[in-house]
Amino acid sequence: MITVLGSGAFGTALAISLASNGPVTLWSRDKAQVQRMQAEGANTRRLPGVSLPAQLNVTADLPPMSPGSICLLSVPTQKLRDLLIEHGRALAHCHLVACCKGVERVTGYGPTRIIAELVPTATAAILTGPSFAHDIARGLPTALTLACKDAVVAQSLQTALTTPNLRIYRTTDATGAELGGALKNVVAVACGVVIGAGLGESARAALMTRGFAELSRMAVALGAEQETLAGLSGFGDLVLTCTSEQSRNYAFGMSLGRNKCFDTSITVEGAATAQAVSEKARKMQIEMPITDVVVALIDGKLRVSQAMDMLLSRPLKEE
Ligand SMILES: NC(=O)C1=CN([C@@H]2O[C@H](COP(=O)(O)OP(=O)(O)OC[C@H]3O[C@@H](n4cnc5c(N)ncnc54)[C@H](OP(=O)(O)O)[C@@H]3O)[C@@H](O)[C@H]2O)C=CC1
Ligand SMILES: O=C(CO)COP(=O)(O)O
């Protein structure tokens, strides 16, 4: 039995897909939300338009977890610590699969390090890659990366999480997988700004390419393998998120570029991640000009025209 903690768009979508393999439990902290999902047979708040299958049990009571149980943690990165502080003891001997893409603002940690700190007896893994919740939930074909430092656990999770529409690749490079997934969100915000401000698709392509160089520079310095970054969790997800208005990071960037407000209740992982990574880069003396500009735009310290001037007037160099 697989348990998914967090009934947001992604957790619900993964639970729906996994239910085609057997029974799945989807846990939410919100009793009223659980009652609504049970009554409506759908998660109309976070994933409207998709029915919940019969194999999916939605609950607000965390079921007992036996050692080796698989538990997907599908909350935003900035909320993962709170979730584990509250429920970590119940998850002590599980395989905990983070389903989030970000760097924690306060600590600079990625999801697997947060798990290792708070639930050291569990095995930490991450599931990431190009995938919109609605696509997964509608049964459209999707390929993801499952990363776990323990090669044996990685293989068993790969098998357990593969479904008719989810093709899972595996790697032991958890650092690379989680950094690619986190940092591409920052580039997606920047690309949204460019399109929102009417700067054109050529500028976006340049930003995606230089953004990939920038995220690779940082991730490799932190121990990631370049091969992982060039795969689904890095390059693959960068392409999806920087080119689709379905992406909340990209849509948030478009609003910034148009000088419009954005609904603050919507999850935008790239905003907090940009701040965390910009600080980390400064300390490590690694150049991350695109990330720095995203932080300054979000903080209202730069206008879009100034941001572009800053990026375009950097010293000329070899590619
Ligand atoms: N949506 C997508 O297409 C994809 C999302 N992801 C990643 O998945 C992660 C989650 O995103 P997504 O599902 O879209 O986000 P949503 O905004 O749709 O949902 C977030 C969920 O987290 C729950 N939550 C927040 N804090 C806690 C907590 N302390 N304890 C328990 N539950 C909590 C919320 O519960 P409540 O309603 O009670 O606040 C809500 O159900 C992000 O890192 C995102 O990058 C990855 C791939 C695709
Ligand atoms: O990570 C995602 C696609 O792979 C989802 O992106 P958003 O969080 O920007 O919507």
Side-chain angles (χ1 to χ4, degrees):
M1 159 81 83
I2 294 177
T3 306
V4 181
L5 267 61
S7 65
F10 197 38
T12 306
L14 289 169
I16 289 172
S17 182
L18 289 163
S20 49
N21 288 351
V24 173
T25 297
L26 176 63
W27 173 88
S28 166
R29 63 175 171 180
D30 181 346
K31 277 203 170 83
Q33 164 75 353
V34 166
Q35 281 165 359
R36 265 196 308 277
M37 284 196 275
Q38 287 167 341
E40 295 172 349
N43 183 348
T44 45
R45 179 161 168 231
R46 303 276 187 186
L47 196 69
V50 190
S51 302
L52 303 177
Q55 296 263 64
L56 185 53
N57 168 41
V58 186
T59 179
D61 301 313
L62 201 58
M65 304 280 177
S66 52
S69 301
I70 299 173
C71 187
L72 272 50
L73 309 175
S74 191
V75 298
T77 309
Q78 309 307 321
K79 305 293 169 70
L80 183 58
R81 181 172 292 273
D82 291 346
L83 174 75
L84 293 177
I85 287 173
E86 200 168 343
H87 299 289
R89 283 185 64 179
L91 307 173
H93 300 286
C94 294
H95 297 319
L96 298 181
V97 184
C99 302
C100 41
K101 298 175 180 174
V103 172
E104 195 178 34
R105 173 76 185 85
V106 204
T107 60
Y109 293 177
T112 59
R113 185 152 174 204
I114 300 173
I115 294 173
E117 183 198 325
L118 290 166
V119 198
T121 47
T123 318
I126 183 154
L127 184 64
T128 182
S131 53
F132 286 127
H134 268 97
D135 292 346
I136 294 178
R138 287 163 55 216
L140 302 180
T142 310
L144 295 173
T145 300
L146 181 286
C148 179
K149 286 182 181 154
D150 182 324
V152 176
V153 177
Q155 195 157 4
S156 73
L157 289 173
Q158 177 187 32
T159 306
L161 299 177
T162 293
T163 73
N165 74 312
L166 282 186
R167 178 168 170 78
I168 312 274
Y169 291 79
R170 68 172 187 276
T171 176
T172 52
D173 180 18
T175 304
E178 71 181 10
L179 282 171
L183 300 180
K184 63 84 192 174
N185 279 335
V186 179
V187 185
V189 173
C191 287
V193 171
V194 160
I195 297 299
L199 299 175
E201 293 184 358
S202 303
R204 175 182 42 196
L207 207 50
M208 285 172 68
T209 314
R210 296 312 303 161
F212 185 65
E214 175 171 315
L215 77 79
S216 300
R217 191 157 58 236
M218 181 57 159
V220 167
L222 291 169
E225 289 166 26
Q226 187 68 51
E227 201 181 13
T228 312
L229 300 170
L232 291 165
S233 56
F235 180 75
D237 213 353
L238 180 84
V239 171
L240 180 70
T241 321
C242 293
T243 58
S244 170
E245 290 185 33
Q246 269 197 74
S247 158
R248 297 159 300 182
N249 286 282
Y250 181 77
F252 169 66
M254 283 183 76
S255 298
L256 275 179
R258 289 174 177 156
N259 218 2
K260 294 260 161 57
C261 293
F262 194 78
D263 180 350
T264 50
S265 70
I266 294 175
T267 298
V268 179
E269 288 275 29
T273 293
Q275 289 175 324
V277 171
S278 174
E279 267 176 42
K280 201 186 266 237
R282 202 165 32 250
K283 286 185 195 142
M284 293 169 69
Q285 298 190 314
I286 290 176
E287 285 197 341
M288 297 196 79
I290 296 171
T291 305
D292 293 342
V293 155
V294 167
V295 172
L297 284 169
I298 292 173
D299 291 348
K301 292 187 177 148
L302 272 187
R303 288 195 306 272
V304 175
S305 57
Q306 294 171 311
M308 285 307 128
D309 287 348
M310 268 179 66
L311 291 177
L312 290 172
S313 62
R314 283 170 48 75
L316 298 175
K317 56 184 195 173
E318 284 187 353
E319 191 175 17

